Amino acid sequence: DAGVTQSPTHLIKTRGQQVTLRCSPKSGHDTVSWYQQALGQGPQFIFQYYEEEERQRGNFPDRFSGHQFPNYSSELNVNALLLGDSALYLCASSLTTGQPQHFGDGTRLSIL
Amino acid sequence: QQQVKQSPQSLIVQKGGISIINCAYENTAFDYFPWYQQFPGKGPALLIAIRPDVSEKKEGRFTISFNKSAKQFSLHIMDSQPGDSATYFCAARPTGTASKLTFGTGTRLQVTL
């Protein structure tokens, strides 16, 4: 039973570029949340997707957007990348909203 | 805005000892308090969780103690092992938000032989 899978594992971009990160939830899970984890910090909630709609959002600018597909997989898009966007981006899935979240191993994004 | 404060930042415990990590929260409208364990290069893994109507929950060597009036909760790891060496995060979920976890800043635990 595959857990949460994220791709790519590592990514290097330059300032101003755009990036798309992908997430496949754990089998049977229909809710996906995205978190940003800066080095040495706890994860910070970006947003949650359920039934292909953004249901909740954290304190992140509109440069951060997402999408959920009918198969429950999800994408995180970040536009106009800033140096401060360098972080580990984590995807978490759960069986409906409110249930325990299972995290993937993340995508390490480095901005030069 | 930090709503969950975690301490200590780092902790060294001898094998067989008890590791204790503390968290305090400011917002009373939290209804779920999980603890996550994270190894280098890996995502956080759910360890144990508690709801505010319970004062203690034990799963194997891991115990959460919850003090609702003091707005504090702690993780106790009994008989700590070198394999427990990792970063531990407490978290809290605001009531009605379903999945929006607010994490503490983490505690780096090292268990020595």
Side-chain angles (χ1 to χ4, degrees):
Chain A
D1 182 19
V4 178
T5 58
Q6 293 186 243
S7 64
T9 54
H10 294 86
L11 202 53
I12 300 174
K13 292 285 188 179
T14 57
R15 282 179 296 174
Q17 285 189 312
Q18 178 264 344
V19 69
T20 297
L21 310 181
R22 295 177 175 82
C23 171
S24 292
K26 182 178 169 67
S27 178
H29 287 186
D30 60 5
T31 302
V32 173
S33 299
W34 287 91
Y35 290 79
Q36 180 194 66
Q37 185 177 21
L39 200 61
Q41 299 295 317
Q44 284 197 303
F45 178 81
I46 303 174
F47 42 54
Q48 178 206 54
Y49 277 83
Y50 173 65
E51 292 187 334
E52 301 180 48
E53 290 188 14
E54 182 181 301
R55 300 290 179 170
Q56 297 175 68
R57 190 177 184 92
N59 189 26
F60 279 80
D62 292 344
R63 298 187 297 109
F64 290 77
S65 63
H67 188 78
Q68 185 179 34
F69 299 93
N71 67 353
Y72 308 124
S73 66
S74 177
E75 288 182 349
L76 164 66
N77 301 292
V78 187
N79 295 321
L81 288 166
L82 303 173
L83 291 177
D85 294 332
S86 294
L88 180 68
Y89 288 85
L90 295 162
C91 172
S93 72
S94 61
L95 176 59
T96 74
T97 61
Q99 295 301 309
Q101 296 179 48
H102 297 258
F103 283 82
D105 289 337
T107 293
R108 172 72 62 186
L109 176 63
S110 299
I111 311 301
L112 303 179
Chain B
Q1 184 177 353
Q2 179 71 7
Q3 294 188 43
V4 179
K5 295 182 179 180
Q6 184 172 345
S7 64
Q9 188 174 1
S10 62
L11 182 61
I12 299 175
V13 174
Q14 278 197 322
K15 179 182 176 182
I18 302 174
S19 303
I20 302 174
I21 304 171
N22 301 299
C23 283
Y25 60 97
E26 300 169 354
N27 186 344
T28 56
F30 287 130
D31 65 358
Y32 175 70
F33 301 86
W35 283 88
Y36 283 84
Q37 178 190 56
Q38 186 174 30
F39 292 103
K42 296 292 186 180
L46 180 63
L47 203 55
I48 186 173
I50 198 168
R51 297 188 185 275
D53 54 345
V54 176
S55 62
E56 185 174 283
K57 182 175 182 180
K58 184 176 181 179
E59 289 184 2
R61 297 185 293 110
F62 301 93
T63 300
I64 300 179
S65 297
F66 187 85
N67 186 328
K68 189 173 182 179
S69 61
K71 299 180 192 175
Q72 295 175 348
F73 57 110
S74 60
L75 175 69
H76 291 64
I77 306 175
M78 312 300 287
D79 187 27
S80 298
Q81 299 296 312
D84 296 330
S85 297
T87 300
Y88 293 80
F89 293 96
C90 63
R93 184 185 70 191
T95 303
T97 62
S99 298
K100 184 180 178 180
L101 293 176
T102 298
F103 283 82
T105 51
T107 296
R108 195 169 190 172
L109 171 65
Q110 182 182 355
V111 181
T112 61
L113 293 172

